[in-house]
Amino acid sequence: MKKVYSADNPVMAGHIQSLLQQAGIDCEVRNLALSGAMGELPPIECWPEVWIRRDEDHERALSLVEQELHKPPTDAEAWHCRCGETIEGQFSHCWNCGRERLNPGEE
């Protein structure tokens, strides 16, 4: 087993875990219950960590994590749903009615 990611944010650790699992890499998040030990232990030692189970996945996992962390921000334009709501460009579904964003030319 090898550690591929650590951060002070458990939500981000869960996101990285999901990203790796979607890529077929078996992994787990550790240290989720250590936040109460901060003070007795150095804070960085209590941060959530993502560990892969198979050493042969290490390089690929590191590459995926690096790509995710350095992904350029989305610059998609806002779109208008048929229900009348304006939705920010990074979202694929309307928050109001749940409709999926249509591709240009679709009705």
Side-chain angles (χ1 to χ4, degrees):
M1 291 189 69
K2 293 187 177 187
K3 181 172 71 170
V4 293
Y5 180 76
S6 178
D8 64 342
N9 184 340
V11 173
M12 192 62 185
H15 173 68
I16 295 296
Q17 178 188 27
S18 294
L19 173 81
L20 295 176
Q21 287 174 336
Q22 286 178 348
I25 298 174
D26 193 18
C27 60
E28 65 182 55
V29 177
R30 295 181 175 179
N31 296 350
L32 286 175
L34 282 182
S35 62
M38 281 189 217
E40 297 293 323
L41 297 171
I44 197 167
E45 295 295 321
C46 300
W47 286 3
E49 301 172 342
V50 179
W51 288 71
I52 59 165
R53 291 195 170 99
R54 295 177 13 180
D55 289 350
E56 55 268 19
D57 290 331
H58 186 247
E59 292 302 317
R60 197 173 110 203
L62 286 176
S63 176
L64 288 168
V65 170
E66 190 69 22
Q67 286 174 22
E68 184 65 18
L69 295 178
H70 295 97
K71 183 169 52 174
T74 181
D75 58 352
E77 291 185 28
W79 56 281
H80 300 282
C81 182
R82 288 184 279 169
C83 73
E85 290 297 325
T86 300
I87 312 297
E88 293 179 32
Q90 71 266 27
F91 298 109
S92 63
H93 288 76
C94 177
W95 67 268
N96 185 47
C97 70
R99 284 192 179 113
E100 188 171 3
R101 180 181 195 165
L102 297 177
N103 293 321
E106 290 182 328
E107 296 260 349

